[in-house]
Amino acid sequence: DWWDLSVELAQQVTERVANPQHARVLQVGCGDSPLGELLYRSFRHVHNIDVSPLVIQRMRQRYPIEQWPGLTFEEADVRQARPRLPFDIIVDKGGAWDLLRRSRPALNKLRAFIQESLRPGGLYFVVTDQEPADFEQDCENLGTLEGGIEFWGHVRAIWSYVVLRDVHGEPSLLQQQPH
């Protein structure tokens, strides 16, 4: 767990989503983090992908499907993979965004993957060490998800963002925050 933020992140994602037990979650670049398990406690369907076959093998051994129905692991590279189902939430904690953001072509492939994987009204949670102005500039340059970016929080030099996919009249999963 690169930044030791899994407990905080799972709690914050769950608190931000109305009816989490009905949402489908995709974690990109899952590594061997406990985040998938923590999200599974609230969301009941969490699909985790990582480019490393060794990581996926380890995670499948740690979380056998017979004991963890709905918590799945798949070897996949977001630069080449095609999603099977639309997801309501995508979580990227120090994973794909951070590894691919320095290459415009790779980041474009990530953007396409997210666009295809996230249902309209869905949420893309990004946790990165990238400063807000730089993150917003990258999103603007890419036209990322054609939705809004919300600064979400800052913990120990790590920034968190929620990117809303263009909803075209569809309700967002985001909880309404009191003003």
Side-chain angles (χ1 to χ4, degrees):
D1 198 359
W2 289 18
W3 295 325
D4 193 30
L5 294 173
S6 292
V7 171
E8 293 162 291
L9 179 58
Q11 181 180 9
Q12 289 177 356
V13 170
T14 302
E15 288 172 357
R16 300 296 302 262
V17 175
N19 300 317
Q21 61 274 25
H22 299 293
R24 297 179 51 80
V25 179
L26 172 65
Q27 182 184 188
V28 296
C30 65
D32 63 356
S33 165
L35 182 58
E37 174 188 342
L38 295 167
L39 290 168
Y40 176 76
R41 292 177 185 175
S42 296
F43 290 97
R44 293 296 174 231
H45 181 85
V46 179
H47 187 65
N48 301 272
I49 62 173
D50 198 285
V51 70
S52 169
L54 183 59
V55 164
I56 295 303
Q57 179 184 17
R58 259 192 253 142
M59 295 305 276
R60 286 177 177 160
Q61 289 170 350
R62 187 181 302 165
Y63 301 104
I65 194 76
E66 301 80 26
Q67 296 171 356
W68 299 87
L71 180 62
T72 56
F73 296 90
E74 176 185 10
E75 178 187 346
D77 184 334
V78 296
R79 295 169 294 184
Q80 300 168 351
R82 289 290 165 248
R84 287 184 250 153
L85 299 168
F87 290 90
D88 301 298
I89 299 163
I90 298 176
V91 179
D92 184 348
K93 179 186 68 112
W97 181 272
D98 278 344
L99 294 174
L100 301 176
R101 75 176 191 227
R102 289 170 181 81
S103 164
R104 183 76 178 255
L107 201 52
N108 274 323
K109 288 180 181 181
L110 173 62
R111 177 198 174 275
F113 177 83
I114 299 298
Q115 188 75 32
E116 292 174 21
S117 302
L118 193 61
R119 76 156 184 84
L123 305 172
Y124 175 39
F125 289 86
V126 180
V127 180
T128 178
D129 60 358
Q130 191 174 18
E131 294 286 334
D134 294 332
F135 181 83
E136 287 183 29
Q137 186 63 52
D138 281 347
C139 288
E140 187 175 307
N141 289 342
L142 291 172
T144 301
L145 305 181
E146 301 162 0
I149 299 170
E150 175 186 335
F151 175 66
W152 175 29
H154 180 244
V155 179
R156 297 191 303 266
I158 306 302
W159 301 90
S160 303
Y161 308 91
V162 179
V163 180
L164 306 173
R165 181 158 183 233
D166 189 11
V167 295
H168 295 293
E170 298 222 10
S172 172
L173 290 172
L174 193 63
Q175 282 280 33
Q176 295 297 320
Q177 298 298 310
H179 298 340

